[in-house]
Amino acid sequence: MVIPQLVGHRGYPRHYPENTLVGIEAAVAAGARFVEVDVQISRDRVPVLFHDRGLKRICGVDGRIQDYRYDELWAFRAREPDKFGDRFNDVHITRLAELGHFLQRHQDVTAFIELKRSSLEHFGVETMLSLVRRALKPVLKQCVLISYALEALLTARRNGWRQIGVVIDRWDERQQELIAAIQPQFLFCDVDDLPRKGELRIQGMKLVIFEVAEPRVALDLAERGVDFIETFAVGEMLQELARPDAR
């Protein structure tokens, strides 16, 4: 039986607000050695962990990350009120540099760092790459830069970024010429668009599939050649896959 590596997708969102340091800490405490986070840039050019284009779902306020300085963003709570109520009223929007400090203390953890297109469009590729590199400089060896924005990843590769992963929604997008030019070490794909049968291995790349919450699905994908599974429930998945009767 092939057991895939598990990636804490945005930390540990089943129990903690996504893309927050508290959620990442919980994922690692549960046994995760890979996490994935999303990065956007504040108005005063501070990289932060945040997925949505708008602040409403996570913070309950209007606007976007790039509309505010970081001191203003820090005053908001990254608490996902509709999901968790008042449980996480003390959790702030996490700076990318805070993740860097965490990785320094956990050198066996690898982070997949997703550049969000909204910030690439607003600030430009070179600026965002520079800001992210600066925030993660001490731990770059533990980080893999990923994005849907293939042109940005090609620029990153040409600028010396060593570990890169491309993100696609549709399996048939994997053969794009731009992906070949990037030469990524990882390819991320949505589970919902995979072919239902057959081998999924891609020569020269590790395959990462999102979003999976069922252990049986994860095991089936691993048998077909998938290397990593992204999940919002990393603790539960790790426990289930460790059981002798997991299959």
Side-chain angles (χ1 to χ4, degrees), residues 150-165:
L150 301 186
E151 291 285 357
L153 294 180
L154 183 59
T155 298
R157 177 65 80 199
R158 290 170 174 170
N159 287 354
W161 284 84
R162 296 181 63 183
Q163 297 194 85
I164 291 178

Side-chain angles (χ1 to χ4, degrees), residues 13-83:
R14 175 167 287 188
H15 299 294
Y16 299 87
E18 65 180 48
N19 279 314
T20 60
L21 192 59
V22 65
I24 294 164
E25 290 171 340
V28 171
R33 289 301 171 260
F34 298 87
V35 295
E36 183 269 351
V37 297
D38 305 287
V39 175
Q40 297 191 53
I41 308 296
S42 70
R43 193 175 79 190
D44 53 346
R45 303 193 174 192
V46 176
V48 300
L49 308 188
F50 209 84
H51 176 272
D52 295 3
R53 282 184 176 261
L55 290 159
K56 196 70 173 179
R57 179 175 68 92
I58 302 298
C59 299
V61 299
D62 293 326
R64 304 166 300 171
I65 289 290
Q66 60 261 36
D67 295 334
Y68 297 92
R69 300 186 312 273
Y70 182 71
D71 63 339
E72 296 172 309
L73 292 172
W74 190 91
F76 302 147
R77 303 292 91 174
R79 60 192 181 95
E80 292 189 58
D82 290 344
K83 184 176 181 180

Side-chain angles (χ1 to χ4, degrees), residues 187-207:
L187 185 138
F188 289 66
C189 187
D190 191 331
V191 68
D192 292 333
D193 195 66
L194 294 176
R196 300 212 176 261
K197 296 180 180 179
E199 189 171 278
L200 296 171
R201 291 177 178 85
I202 302 177
Q203 186 174 2
M205 283 185 272
K206 299 289 188 181
L207 186 56

Side-chain angles (χ1 to χ4, degrees), residues 10 40 106 114 132 152 222 224 231 242:
R10 307 181 202 167
Q40 297 191 53
H106 298 272
E114 182 173 344
V132 169
R224 297 172 64 192
T231 178

Side-chain angles (χ1 to χ4, degrees), residues 46-49 94-102 104 134-136:
V46 176
V48 300
L49 308 188
T94 301
R95 291 179 293 116
L96 182 59
E98 293 178 80
L99 174 62
H101 298 321
F102 175 81
Q104 284 184 290
R134 185 187 308 165
L136 295 174

